[in-house]
Amino acid sequence: TTCCIGGSDITVSASSISATVNFNLTLQGGHVRTSLSGSPQVTVGTVSLDGTGFCGFLVNALQSFFTGTVKNAVQSSLQNFIANQAAPLLDQITSSLDISTLAESFAVPRLDGSGTVTLGFGLDFSSLDITTARALIGIGTRFTPFTTVVSRPSLGIPGRTATALLDPPGTTNSDPVGLSAYEGVLNEVLHALWRGGYLKATINIGGGSATIDSWLPPVAEIDANNTAQLELGG
């Protein structure tokens, strides 16, 4: 305090301080954004004051007149801190989780051993659904060949209306994270390999050779037993 001659130091002590803060997590442009849901609920316990100097003497003598005002001031300050500093900081942290930087390229050896087919691998957050039981985060993928060898028209990446999942075993307390892959991811990889000429090769067989030139991309189908079946040709 500067209202007194020489100034005074006032120490504020609280028996307890607790805060309950609810956040909304949403997905915007492939990034997880965090925002406050309602106002932070801050509870301040019993407040006591201890002062030095003349004003401190008055505060010590008349604590009952000041503690209510100081308690409200502490509560308001913490609410403003959470809303204006803590929440934006948390949003900055979650929105900076950019998994697209993890994307790379990888090379797949050709069937005839004549080199490799290089695929580009891109990914991003595609969905977010959080309940009291679990957090479900979708990751979108994209596989593309660096060089397109097969230029014939394509019907697109095969996919069923109800996309089958390759599910992991049930999660437990000791193993709380599970990862599932859509059937469409496998077909996306196979389609990219087909475009890159993976199935356009000449293979030596005995004293002769066999020429492969698939007019259609291979198709993967996941059945009810979590088994992937690979189909070549019509």
Side-chain angles (χ1 to χ4, degrees), residues 39-182:
S39 300
Q41 301 298 315
V42 177
T43 302
V44 180
T46 303
V47 170
S48 61
L49 309 174
D50 185 20
T52 63
F54 179 69
C55 282
F57 170 76
L58 292 178
V59 167
N60 290 336
L62 303 173
Q63 283 213 28
S64 60
F65 291 96
F66 295 104
T67 52
T69 300
V70 172
K71 183 175 182 178
N72 291 337
V74 171
Q75 185 180 35
S76 178
S77 296
L78 287 175
Q79 286 175 326
N80 290 334
F81 172 80
I82 293 171
N84 299 323
Q85 297 189 49
L89 176 61
L90 185 59
D91 177 58
Q92 184 179 7
I93 292 174
T94 59
S95 62
S96 65
L97 297 176
D98 187 4
I99 63 172
S100 64
T101 58
L102 302 176
E104 293 185 1
S105 62
F106 55 95
V108 180
R110 293 182 179 273
L111 288 177
D112 56 5
S114 62
T116 59
V117 176
T118 303
L119 296 183
F121 175 41
L123 71 170
D124 206 348
F125 288 121
S126 60
S127 62
L128 178 67
D129 183 21
I130 297 178
T131 68
T132 56
R134 56 104 180 97
L136 179 63
I137 301 175
I139 298 178
T141 61
R142 183 176 183 180
F143 295 87
T144 53
F146 272 33
T147 302
T148 299
V149 175
V150 176
S151 58
R152 291 188 293 266
S154 169
L155 297 177
I157 299 172
R160 290 183 281 181
T161 302
T163 306
L165 269 178
L166 188 60
D167 280 325
T171 58
T172 62
N173 290 335
S174 59
D175 189 18
V177 178
L179 178 66
S180 299
Y182 278 109

Side-chain angles (χ1 to χ4, degrees), residues 187-200:
N187 284 311
E188 189 178 6
V189 173
L190 294 172
H191 189 274
L193 286 173
W194 173 71
R195 276 289 192 211
Y198 179 77
L199 293 178
K200 194 172 186 180

Side-chain angles (χ1 to χ4, degrees), residues 7 20 178 208:
T20 301

